[in-house]
Amino acid sequence: SDQAGEGQLQNTAALASIAYHKSLDKKRNTVLSFGLQGGIVQRRIDLNGTSTENPDGGFTNTGLWFGDEVEQSLRNNQPRMQTSMSRQNGFVDNVSYFDLNAGVLLTTKLNKQTDINIGASLYHILKPKYGFFKGNENPSGIQDPDSLTVRLPMRFQLHGQFNFAMNKKWTLSPGFLYNRISSASELQV
């Protein structure tokens, strides 16, 4: 569980994992592993938002604004929403969804000093809805209220590592990690 920002956004997850390991040779030098993880994720937010001071000395509740959820309409050629996250505008403060992740890993020992592993995984396979907009009304005249449905994009990850024992104390371990989510990608070496 964590908590962040003005709206005190909280994410809590209860996930269970299971793995299967299959040796591909008699000496068990090469092992193929499969893993699966699934469970419930809950997101909570304080919809009361922040208050701003008025010129007359009073305060006004401004609600909350989130670029990834409220501004999603821009990607669908919809006009910018001029509304804040509030119950009156069709938003809820608590969202739960089922999440599913899977991966595979191949590990092989080349000799007494050297081994290699390479793996791939997929996160958010079901692309669950995780936005806070649940209203049936059309806020601010948006032409397509379904454009406010926010799905968690699937993430692909590929990783590998080469381990070479230089002596009893030192091991050289170059590796890489590639991540891709939606149109963004990253490579770490």
Side-chain angles (χ1 to χ4, degrees):
S1 180
D2 65 2
Q3 185 173 327
E6 281 183 37
Q8 299 176 1
L9 176 64
Q10 296 178 356
N11 290 301
T12 304
L15 302 169
S17 301
I18 188 167
Y20 175 75
H21 309 282
K22 174 68 176 162
S23 178
L24 300 180
D25 62 342
K26 291 181 181 181
K27 292 184 179 183
R28 300 181 190 255
N29 287 330
T30 302
V31 177
L32 185 62
S33 301
F34 300 94
L36 191 63
Q37 180 183 61
I40 299 294
V41 178
Q42 181 182 46
R43 298 176 76 211
R44 288 181 182 228
I45 195 161
D46 179 6
L47 286 179
N48 294 325
T50 59
S51 296
T52 56
E53 190 170 356
N54 295 332
D56 63 1
F59 287 89
T60 302
N61 185 328
T62 59
L64 293 171
W65 296 82
F66 287 88
D68 69 334
E69 295 178 1
V70 178
E71 300 291 331
Q72 173 108 9
S73 58
L74 291 176
R75 286 179 254 179
N76 297 320
N77 295 323
Q78 301 292 335
R80 181 178 175 189
M81 290 188 65
Q82 298 295 323
T83 187
S84 65
M85 289 180 72
S86 67
R87 286 181 188 84
Q88 296 87 351
N89 291 330
F91 291 89
V92 295
D93 61 358
N94 188 341
V95 175
S96 296
Y97 57 89
F98 182 78
D99 204 5
L100 182 65
N101 310 311
V104 61
L105 176 69
L106 177 66
T107 303
T108 186
K109 188 171 184 175
L110 301 175
N111 56 45
K112 291 181 181 181
Q113 293 177 296
T114 311
D115 66 85
I116 297 174
N117 62 62
I118 189 164
S121 54
L122 286 174
Y123 299 86
H124 319 302
I125 294 170
L126 302 175
K127 297 182 184 179
K129 292 180 184 179
Y130 80 118
F132 289 104
F133 180 72
K134 299 293 182 192
N136 295 323
E137 298 193 19
N138 193 342
S140 299
I142 298 297
Q143 296 171 2
D144 180 13
D146 288 336
S147 69
L148 296 175
T149 300
V150 180
R151 290 193 173 273
L152 193 55
M154 191 179 327
R155 179 175 64 149
F156 170 73
Q157 190 173 72
L158 180 67
H159 60 89
Q161 186 173 3
F162 175 81
N163 299 307
F164 177 73
M166 296 166 44
N167 57 42
K168 290 184 181 182
K169 285 187 175 183
W170 295 93
T171 300
L172 179 65
S173 297
F176 74 93
L177 174 64
Y178 173 77
N179 281 299
R180 181 167 180 85
I181 186 166
S182 296
S183 61
S185 63
E186 170 187 41
L187 177 62
Q188 298 176 6
V189 181

